[in-house]
Amino acid sequence: MIRKPTTAAVGTAFEIATGRVLQSMGFLNVERVGGKGDGGIDLRAVMRLPSCTLRESSISHANPIVTTNIINPGIKSTNINTIVQCKYVKHSGTGPVNLRELEGVIGRQPRDTLAVLATRFKLSNASLLAARSSAYPILLLSFEMDAVDYDGESMG
């Protein structure tokens, strides 16, 4: 008899998959901290920025998968502490309310912290607008997780 994985197992698998995606994007020191009492933080990492000045025009807004407002004068270092919230929802329900929740979490972090909202669905235009107008640096990451057996091993 095949048992359906628990919500916690699916959420944990998505957090692990998100960590792998972040590592593939060049994030360093990715660690999972999710669980009860995590304060809304599922992962912590360090984003290493290139040693050049980024301008908003150098970021592709045509890519629907990654959107960012990381050009923020409050961030001065080339190593950016990063917090990540993972939302593995069954439908395209990740929206502005999740961004407001993330803003509450990042508001309790040091000023030079980047927040990442990882989800399995492309976010709505309202969510993109909320992220772009946020007072905090927020990166939106959307990807489809491969089938896993919830022990972290690929099934396909």
Side-chain angles (χ1 to χ4, degrees):
M1 179 170 133
I2 297 176
R3 292 187 322 176
K4 185 177 176 181
T6 66
T7 301
V10 173
T12 298
F14 188 67
E15 289 170 4
I16 292 168
T18 299
R20 289 180 181 153
V21 169
L22 291 172
Q23 288 173 327
S24 74
M25 294 171 63
F27 282 77
L28 308 171
N29 305 329
V30 178
E31 68 174 312
R32 184 175 170 272
V33 295
K36 290 183 180 182
D38 65 11
I41 300 171
D42 297 314
L43 303 169
R44 287 191 180 274
V46 174
M47 179 183 194
R48 179 134 179 98
L49 291 178
S51 59
C52 63
T53 302
L54 297 177
R55 300 193 183 281
E56 189 160 358
S57 61
S58 70
I59 297 175
S60 171
H61 295 288
N63 182 345
I65 296 176
V66 177
T67 304
T68 180
N69 69 343
I70 195 168
I71 311 310
N72 183 314
I75 296 178
K76 304 215 183 312
S77 66
T78 57
N79 286 331
I80 309 294
N81 289 322
T82 304
I83 60 167
V84 183
Q85 254 188 15
C86 300
K87 298 292 182 188
Y88 188 86
V89 293
K90 294 181 182 179
H91 51 81
S92 57
T94 307
V97 66
N98 300 109
L99 291 170
R100 288 190 293 276
E101 176 185 332
L102 182 58
E103 285 178 321
V105 173
I106 194 171
R108 297 187 303 268
Q109 302 300 311
R111 180 168 165 73
D112 62 347
T113 302
L114 169 68
V116 176
L117 178 62
T119 182
R120 64 184 282 223
F121 290 105
K122 180 180 172 187
L123 281 88
S124 67
N125 287 337
S127 298
L128 297 174
L129 180 61
R132 292 202 55 157
S133 63
S134 176
Y136 300 101
I138 295 176
L139 182 131
L140 303 175
L141 175 64
S142 176
F143 69 97
E144 185 60 42
M145 182 174 73
D146 291 333
V148 294
D149 66 4
Y150 305 101
D151 287 325
E153 299 295 324
S154 175
M155 291 173 41

mmCIF file of all heavy atoms in Angstrom, residues 21-49:
data_model
loop_
_atom_site.group_PDB
_atom_site.id
_atom_site.type_symbol
_atom_site.label_atom_id
_atom_site.label_comp_id
_atom_site.label_asym_id
_atom_site.label_seq_id
_atom_site.Cartn_x
_atom_site.Cartn_y
_atom_site.Cartn_z
ATOM 1 N N VAL A 21 18.457 24.602 -5.279
ATOM 2 C CA VAL A 21 18.330 25.627 -6.326
ATOM 3 C C VAL A 21 19.179 26.839 -5.963
ATOM 4 O O VAL A 21 19.901 27.382 -6.806
ATOM 5 C CB VAL A 21 16.851 26.020 -6.541
ATOM 6 C CG1 VAL A 21 16.734 27.259 -7.416
ATOM 7 C CG2 VAL A 21 16.078 24.862 -7.158
ATOM 8 N N LEU A 22 19.115 27.269 -4.719
ATOM 9 C CA LEU A 22 19.925 28.418 -4.287
ATOM 10 C C LEU A 22 21.411 28.135 -4.456
ATOM 11 O O LEU A 22 22.165 28.997 -4.925
ATOM 12 C CB LEU A 22 19.603 28.786 -2.839
ATOM 13 C CG LEU A 22 18.214 29.375 -2.590
ATOM 14 C CD1 LEU A 22 17.957 29.518 -1.099
ATOM 15 C CD2 LEU A 22 18.043 30.692 -3.306
ATOM 16 N N GLN A 23 21.847 26.936 -4.095
ATOM 17 C CA GLN A 23 23.253 26.581 -4.284
ATOM 18 C C GLN A 23 23.631 26.633 -5.759
ATOM 19 O O GLN A 23 24.706 27.124 -6.105
ATOM 20 C CB GLN A 23 23.537 25.190 -3.705
ATOM 21 C CG GLN A 23 23.540 25.173 -2.196
ATOM 22 C CD GLN A 23 23.660 23.778 -1.620
ATOM 23 O OE1 GLN A 23 23.173 22.802 -2.186
ATOM 24 N NE2 GLN A 23 24.308 23.681 -0.458
ATOM 25 N N SER A 24 22.743 26.161 -6.624
ATOM 26 C CA SER A 24 23.031 26.190 -8.064
ATOM 27 C C SER A 24 23.090 27.623 -8.596
ATOM 28 O O SER A 24 23.711 27.874 -9.627
ATOM 29 C CB SER A 24 22.000 25.377 -8.845
ATOM 30 O OG SER A 24 20.763 26.062 -8.925
ATOM 31 N N MET A 25 22.454 28.556 -7.886
ATOM 32 C CA MET A 25 22.480 29.970 -8.268
ATOM 33 C C MET A 25 23.687 30.688 -7.671
ATOM 34 O O MET A 25 23.851 31.884 -7.873
ATOM 35 C CB MET A 25 21.183 30.655 -7.803
ATOM 36 C CG MET A 25 19.933 30.157 -8.512
ATOM 37 S SD MET A 25 18.404 30.811 -7.755
ATOM 38 C CE MET A 25 18.593 32.560 -8.044
ATOM 39 N N GLY A 26 24.503 29.981 -6.896
ATOM 40 C CA GLY A 26 25.709 30.579 -6.331
ATOM 41 C C GLY A 26 25.596 31.030 -4.885
ATOM 42 O O GLY A 26 26.529 31.631 -4.349
ATOM 43 N N PHE A 27 24.471 30.752 -4.233
ATOM 44 C CA PHE A 27 24.353 31.085 -2.810
ATOM 45 C C PHE A 27 25.286 30.175 -2.019
ATOM 46 O O PHE A 27 25.490 29.010 -2.364
ATOM 47 C CB PHE A 27 22.913 30.913 -2.322
ATOM 48 C CG PHE A 27 21.990 32.030 -2.716
ATOM 49 C CD1 PHE A 27 21.486 32.112 -4.012
ATOM 50 C CD2 PHE A 27 21.614 33.001 -1.801
ATOM 51 C CE1 PHE A 27 20.636 33.139 -4.383
ATOM 52 C CE2 PHE A 27 20.755 34.028 -2.156
ATOM 53 C CZ PHE A 27 20.271 34.098 -3.449
ATOM 54 N N LEU A 28 25.839 30.715 -0.947
ATOM 55 C CA LEU A 28 26.785 29.982 -0.105
ATOM 56 C C LEU A 28 26.155 29.681 1.250
ATOM 57 O O LEU A 28 25.197 30.319 1.660
ATOM 58 C CB LEU A 28 28.041 30.830 0.112
ATOM 59 C CG LEU A 28 28.722 31.381 -1.135
ATOM 60 C CD1 LEU A 28 29.808 32.367 -0.746
ATOM 61 C CD2 LEU A 28 29.277 30.245 -1.974
ATOM 62 N N ASN A 29 26.740 28.728 1.970
ATOM 63 C CA ASN A 29 26.350 28.403 3.347
ATOM 64 C C ASN A 29 24.846 28.209 3.500
ATOM 65 O O ASN A 29 24.244 28.691 4.459
ATOM 66 C CB ASN A 29 26.829 29.486 4.314
ATOM 67 C CG ASN A 29 28.313 29.736 4.221
ATOM 68 O OD1 ASN A 29 29.085 28.839 3.924
ATOM 69 N ND2 ASN A 29 28.716 30.966 4.448
ATOM 70 N N VAL A 30 24.230 27.504 2.565
ATOM 71 C CA VAL A 30 22.783 27.266 2.622
ATOM 72 C C VAL A 30 22.504 26.238 3.709
ATOM 73 O O VAL A 30 23.069 25.143 3.711
ATOM 74 C CB VAL A 30 22.249 26.771 1.259
ATOM 75 C CG1 VAL A 30 20.762 26.485 1.340
ATOM 76 C CG2 VAL A 30 22.546 27.784 0.161
ATOM 77 N N GLU A 31 21.644 26.620 4.671
ATOM 78 C CA GLU A 31 21.284 25.680 5.727
ATOM 79 C C GLU A 31 19.790 25.751 6.004
ATOM 80 O O GLU A 31 19.177 26.815 5.966
ATOM 81 C CB GLU A 31 22.080 25.933 7.002
ATOM 82 C CG GLU A 31 21.751 27.225 7.710
ATOM 83 C CD GLU A 31 22.476 27.362 9.044
ATOM 84 O OE1 GLU A 31 22.460 26.410 9.840
ATOM 85 O OE2 GLU A 31 23.042 28.430 9.274
ATOM 86 N N ARG A 32 19.221 24.598 6.257
ATOM 87 C CA ARG A 32 17.799 24.501 6.567
ATOM 88 C C ARG A 32 17.610 24.731 8.063
ATOM 89 O O ARG A 32 18.251 24.092 8.878
ATOM 90 C CB ARG A 32 17.266 23.120 6.177
ATOM 91 C CG ARG A 32 15.793 22.992 6.389
ATOM 92 C CD ARG A 32 15.260 21.652 5.873
ATOM 93 N NE ARG A 32 13.903 21.527 6.321
ATOM 94 C CZ ARG A 32 13.536 21.007 7.495
ATOM 95 N NH1 ARG A 32 14.437 20.523 8.308
ATOM 96 N NH2 ARG A 32 12.274 20.970 7.844
ATOM 97 N N VAL A 33 16.708 25.654 8.403
ATOM 98 C CA VAL A 33 16.400 25.928 9.805
ATOM 99 C C VAL A 33 14.906 25.791 10.069
ATOM 100 O O VAL A 33 14.454 26.058 11.161
ATOM 101 C CB VAL A 33 16.875 27.342 10.239
ATOM 102 C CG1 VAL A 33 18.378 27.430 10.187
ATOM 103 C CG2 VAL A 33 16.235 28.419 9.389
ATOM 104 N N GLY A 34 14.152 25.393 9.051
ATOM 105 C CA GLY A 34 12.705 25.299 9.155
ATOM 106 C C GLY A 34 12.252 24.306 10.206
ATOM 107 O O GLY A 34 12.993 23.423 10.622
ATOM 108 N N GLY A 35 11.038 24.472 10.608
ATOM 109 C CA GLY A 35 10.438 23.610 11.618
ATOM 110 C C GLY A 35 9.656 24.461 12.589
ATOM 111 O O GLY A 35 9.556 25.676 12.444
ATOM 112 N N LYS A 36 9.099 23.824 13.595
ATOM 113 C CA LYS A 36 8.350 24.573 14.604
ATOM 114 C C LYS A 36 9.265 25.577 15.279
ATOM 115 O O LYS A 36 10.400 25.261 15.625
ATOM 116 C CB LYS A 36 7.749 23.620 15.631
ATOM 117 C CG LYS A 36 6.628 22.793 15.072
ATOM 118 C CD LYS A 36 6.000 21.922 16.131
ATOM 119 C CE LYS A 36 4.883 21.104 15.507
ATOM 120 N NZ LYS A 36 4.219 20.275 16.482
ATOM 121 N N GLY A 37 8.778 26.778 15.447
ATOM 122 C CA GLY A 37 9.558 27.808 16.118
ATOM 123 C C GLY A 37 10.646 28.428 15.259
ATOM 124 O O GLY A 37 11.583 29.017 15.787
ATOM 125 N N ASP A 38 10.545 28.308 13.930
ATOM 126 C CA ASP A 38 11.580 28.854 13.052
ATOM 127 C C ASP A 38 11.430 30.353 12.804
ATOM 128 O O ASP A 38 12.253 30.956 12.117
ATOM 129 C CB ASP A 38 11.645 28.099 11.722
ATOM 130 C CG ASP A 38 10.385 28.239 10.872
ATOM 131 O OD1 ASP A 38 9.513 29.084 11.181
ATOM 132 O OD2 ASP A 38 10.272 27.500 9.879
ATOM 133 N N GLY A 39 10.392 30.952 13.355
ATOM 134 C CA GLY A 39 10.188 32.393 13.190
ATOM 135 C C GLY A 39 9.898 32.803 11.761
ATOM 136 O O GLY A 39 10.124 33.945 11.376
ATOM 137 N N GLY A 40 9.414 31.866 10.941
ATOM 138 C CA GLY A 40 9.105 32.171 9.543
ATOM 139 C C GLY A 40 10.289 32.019 8.612
ATOM 140 O O GLY A 40 10.193 32.339 7.440
ATOM 141 N N ILE A 41 11.411 31.518 9.113
ATOM 142 C CA ILE A 41 12.610 31.338 8.286
ATOM 143 C C ILE A 41 12.827 29.844 8.068
ATOM 144 O O ILE A 41 13.006 29.083 9.012
ATOM 145 C CB ILE A 41 13.844 31.963 8.964
ATOM 146 C CG1 ILE A 41 13.627 33.462 9.181
ATOM 147 C CG2 ILE A 41 15.101 31.696 8.133
ATOM 148 C CD1 ILE A 41 14.688 34.129 10.027
ATOM 149 N N ASP A 42 12.791 29.432 6.803
ATOM 150 C CA ASP A 42 12.998 28.026 6.472
ATOM 151 C C ASP A 42 14.455 27.717 6.150
ATOM 152 O O ASP A 42 14.941 26.635 6.454
ATOM 153 C CB ASP A 42 12.110 27.630 5.294
ATOM 154 C CG ASP A 42 10.631 27.766 5.638
ATOM 155 O OD1 ASP A 42 10.237 27.316 6.728
ATOM 156 O OD2 ASP A 42 9.878 28.333 4.826
ATOM 157 N N LEU A 43 15.124 28.676 5.504
ATOM 158 C CA LEU A 43 16.530 28.509 5.126
ATOM 159 C C LEU A 43 17.284 29.793 5.407
ATOM 160 O O LEU A 43 16.700 30.877 5.370
ATOM 161 C CB LEU A 43 16.673 28.195 3.628
ATOM 162 C CG LEU A 43 15.941 26.988 3.058
ATOM 163 C CD1 LEU A 43 15.987 27.014 1.537
ATOM 164 C CD2 LEU A 43 16.540 25.701 3.566
ATOM 165 N N ARG A 44 18.567 29.656 5.662
ATOM 166 C CA ARG A 44 19.483 30.793 5.727
ATOM 167 C C ARG A 44 20.585 30.522 4.723
ATOM 168 O O ARG A 44 20.969 29.371 4.506
ATOM 169 C CB ARG A 44 20.083 30.966 7.114
ATOM 170 C CG ARG A 44 19.105 31.502 8.134
ATOM 171 C CD ARG A 44 19.830 31.908 9.425
ATOM 172 N NE ARG A 44 18.897 32.429 10.398
ATOM 173 C CZ ARG A 44 18.496 33.694 10.457
ATOM 174 N NH1 ARG A 44 18.962 34.566 9.596
ATOM 175 N NH2 ARG A 44 17.652 34.095 11.377
ATOM 176 N N ALA A 45 21.109 31.586 4.128
ATOM 177 C CA ALA A 45 22.178 31.444 3.147
ATOM 178 C C ALA A 45 22.923 32.772 3.049
ATOM 179 O O ALA A 45 22.552 33.759 3.692
ATOM 180 C CB ALA A 45 21.600 31.062 1.782
ATOM 181 N N VAL A 46 23.957 32.771 2.237
ATOM 182 C CA VAL A 46 24.706 33.983 1.938
ATOM 183 C C VAL A 46 24.730 34.145 0.430
ATOM 184 O O VAL A 46 25.099 33.214 -0.291
ATOM 185 C CB VAL A 46 26.151 33.905 2.491
ATOM 186 C CG1 VAL A 46 26.965 35.111 2.045
ATOM 187 C CG2 VAL A 46 26.133 33.789 4.006
ATOM 188 N N MET A 47 24.303 35.313 -0.024
ATOM 189 C CA MET A 47 24.369 35.626 -1.454
ATOM 190 C C MET A 47 25.648 36.420 -1.705
ATOM 191 O O MET A 47 25.888 37.428 -1.057
ATOM 192 C CB MET A 47 23.164 36.454 -1.886
ATOM 193 C CG MET A 47 23.180 36.827 -3.338
ATOM 194 S SD MET A 47 21.755 37.872 -3.722
ATOM 195 C CE MET A 47 21.799 37.805 -5.500
ATOM 196 N N ARG A 48 26.453 35.940 -2.613
ATOM 197 C CA ARG A 48 27.699 36.632 -2.947
ATOM 198 C C ARG A 48 27.468 37.442 -4.210
ATOM 199 O O ARG A 48 27.212 36.893 -5.269
ATOM 200 C CB ARG A 48 28.825 35.649 -3.160
ATOM 201 C CG ARG A 48 30.119 36.297 -3.540
ATOM 202 C CD ARG A 48 31.244 35.701 -2.713
ATOM 203 N NE ARG A 48 32.515 36.292 -3.063
ATOM 204 C CZ ARG A 48 33.061 37.267 -2.365
ATOM 205 N NH1 ARG A 48 32.468 37.742 -1.316
ATOM 206 N NH2 ARG A 48 34.216 37.757 -2.709
ATOM 207 N N LEU A 49 27.550 38.760 -4.062
ATOM 208 C CA LEU A 49 27.388 39.636 -5.213
ATOM 209 C C LEU A 49 28.716 39.816 -5.920
ATOM 210 O O LEU A 49 29.765 39.844 -5.281
ATOM 211 C CB LEU A 49 26.877 41.017 -4.769
ATOM 212 C CG LEU A 49 25.458 41.072 -4.252
ATOM 213 C CD1 LEU A 49 25.124 42.490 -3.809
ATOM 214 C CD2 LEU A 49 24.471 40.609 -5.299
#
